[in-house]
Amino acid sequence: MTGFKRSDINIGNWRTPPYARWTFQNVQEIVPSAIIKGGGKAESPAKPLGALASLAILDENSQPSTIEAFLVSSKADSLVVMRDGEFVAEWYAPTCDRLKPHLCFSVSKSVAGILAGILVDKGFLSADDPVVKHVPEAAGGAYGDATVRHLLDMEAALNFNEDYLDNTGGFDRYRRSTSWNPEDLKHPSTDLKTFLCTIGKKGEHGEIHRYYSPNTDMVGAVLEQASGCRVADMLSEFIWRPMGAHGDAFITVDRIGSPRTAGGMSITPRDLARFGDLVRHRGKGIVSESWVADLWCGSRETWLRGDQVDLFPKGSYRSFWYETGEGEIAALGIHGQWIWVDPANATTIILQSAQDAPVSRPLKFAAIDMFRAIARHG
């Protein structure tokens, strides 16, 4: 902790600089969190970045740079590269403890997408189920006639604005319901599920890709209701321990214990890489190969009509994963969080960051170019 004291940090500023470099690795001190139990194994020493450090790339300003220089300038916390299932290169900022879970933001969605596949495999639910089959309270709002598939593919038609800087409107009310923002004493917030059920509908489901974080939190409610188990416990039993996670992870919860599946998971860099690599391995028997293969089969039509098409012009979106249209698959979150999976080059890459702004399109495109340069590098 450099330049400030722990007492300077509060629920109103924890996602802002300079505090984010510390809080993104200590979220459980700020927001109530449930433990996702890992294996409790010690990690081997980090692998040096080696020749990748000086690999030439273009930065977010399209200026010549190197990977190490870009990591420093973009406020990265960690970079982990796996090839053929082995850790081959790593980089950590001086402020980063590689053994601590780091907040993943919306990479959490992609973890939830794999957990959903496992519950489908086990017969707890179908992706075609109506949401109200599992969450009857949703009947009066936007989710009343939506299916689980609409949520997984971000094709639910919500009257909602995904504005990460909002501190007075709908997104602020959403974050207050998750215990992520300060309370407004004049307008007391609800618990997360109650808030989700109040969101109105705008348009028709299944017609267009629109990125709405509440969809993933509603999936979290569906998963818990369908299985009778908590998301944190299912992640531990069905994914973390079977895949060989070494450390514990965390997921933030609201005032009644509902999970923030849309963005509340904190995961160590290497364990996040292990998770990405199980997707590269088409499930490793943890989730069915058919569910993983289907991640490359999102609707091109709804994607092309959607609000993220410029990110991957040839891509699609399926079960909370981005398919690039060029063979790779990705998970990403605000402030610079990534899983990048390149099956053709047997490569999985993790980037965790504490970027100042929630969203920077130049930094996203620079990161994508960096991932492809790393994957192509022998």
Side-chain angles (χ1 to χ4, degrees):
M1 195 176 292
T2 304
F4 57 89
K5 304 184 296 293
R6 173 62 180 85
S7 57
D8 295 331
I9 303 170
N10 58 58
I11 196 67
N13 65 18
W14 69 277
R15 296 186 305 275
T16 62
Y19 312 119
R21 297 303 289 261
W22 186 84
T23 57
F24 286 4
Q25 296 178 79
N26 294 276
V27 176
Q28 64 274 20
E29 284 198 24
I30 312 296
V31 183
S33 302
I35 299 174
I36 302 165
K37 279 290 189 181
K41 302 176 184 177
E43 291 283 9
S44 59
K47 299 286 186 178
L49 199 56
L52 288 178
S54 57
L55 190 64
I57 60 171
L58 297 179
D59 66 14
E60 69 274 21
N61 299 311
S62 298
Q63 296 300 308
S65 185
T66 64
I67 285 179
E68 187 164 37
F70 173 70
L71 293 172
V72 172
S73 67
S74 65
K75 292 193 174 180
D77 288 325
S78 64
L79 177 77
V80 176
V81 180
M82 295 185 78
R83 186 160 283 128
D84 291 317
E86 300 292 332
F87 296 107
V88 296
E90 297 168 76
W91 179 93
Y92 299 99
T95 54
C96 180
D97 183 342
R98 72 186 187 96
L99 303 180
K100 276 192 169 185
H102 188 291
L103 184 60
C104 297
F105 288 102
S106 289
V107 170
S108 307
K109 293 178 172 70
S110 303
V111 180
I114 296 301
L115 181 59
I118 292 170
L119 265 62
V120 168
D121 294 341
K122 293 180 178 296
F124 286 107
L125 75 156
S126 165
D128 296 323
D129 283 349
V131 170
V132 294
K133 176 179 177 180
H134 304 287
V135 186
E137 308 95 303
Y143 296 114
D145 60 345
T147 66
V148 175
R149 175 52 66 195
H150 288 141
L151 275 58
L152 289 166
D153 294 353
M154 295 293 184
E155 294 178 1
L158 307 188
N159 186 12
F160 187 77
N161 185 19
E162 186 95 358
D163 180 1
Y164 303 113
L165 299 178
D166 172 44
N167 58 15
T168 60
F171 204 82
D172 173 60
R173 291 194 299 275
Y174 167 50
R175 275 188 165 157
R176 283 193 281 120
S177 78
T178 69
S179 301
W180 275 42
N181 273 13
E183 272 295 345
D184 181 345
L185 297 180
K186 293 183 179 179
H187 303 94
S189 57
T190 66
D191 63 90
L192 176 56
K193 186 164 69 171
T194 298
F195 173 82
L196 297 174
C197 293
T198 68
I199 298 174
K201 186 179 178 184
K202 184 178 181 180
E204 297 300 322
H205 303 310
E207 293 186 349
I208 190 168
H209 170 84
R210 286 282 190 233
Y211 188 91
Y212 296 126
S213 288
N215 290 337
T216 319
D217 288 316
M218 182 57 81
V219 165
V222 167
L223 299 182
E224 291 200 337
Q225 290 297 114
S227 65
C229 299
R230 299 185 75 197
V231 161
D233 295 336
M234 288 188 286
L235 288 171
S236 176
E237 180 180 353
F238 298 151
I239 300 179
W240 247 236
R241 289 179 173 176
M243 81 173 186
H246 282 211
D248 294 341
F250 295 90
I251 183 168
T252 67
V253 295
D254 74 354
R255 67 195 65 188
I256 61 172
S258 299
R260 182 84 201 279
T261 44
M265 295 182 200
S266 293
I267 303 169
T268 66
R270 277 194 171 184
D271 280 344
L272 191 58
R274 292 180 178 105
F275 173 76
D277 216 48
L278 81 83
V279 174
R280 184 183 70 82
H281 275 285
R282 297 297 173 117
K284 283 188 173 180
I286 293 171
V287 62
S288 65
E289 184 174 347
S290 61
W291 184 268
V292 175
D294 186 62
L295 300 178
W296 277 262
C297 299
S299 169
R300 284 282 296 144
E301 291 74 19
T302 57
W303 176 258
L304 288 171
R305 291 193 290 267
D307 58 354
Q308 297 191 98
V309 65
D310 61 325
L311 186 61
F312 298 116
K314 301 177 183 178
S316 62
Y317 191 89
R318 188 72 162 175
S319 297
F320 301 137
W321 285 81
Y322 295 85
E323 182 265 319
T324 70
E326 299 185 38
E328 309 103 340
I329 198 166
L332 61 140
I334 59 174
H335 296 283
Q337 324 308 320
W338 287 86
I339 301 174
W340 186 265
V341 178
D342 182 342
N345 289 296
T347 300
T348 298
I349 305 170
I350 301 303
L351 178 67
Q352 296 177 317
S353 309
Q355 294 169 4
D356 291 350
V359 177
S360 168
R361 302 199 80 76
L363 282 172
K364 282 185 181 179
F365 289 115
I368 291 168
D369 289 344
M370 177 181 70
F371 300 145
R372 286 177 169 153
I374 291 171
R376 290 192 298 265
H377 186 74

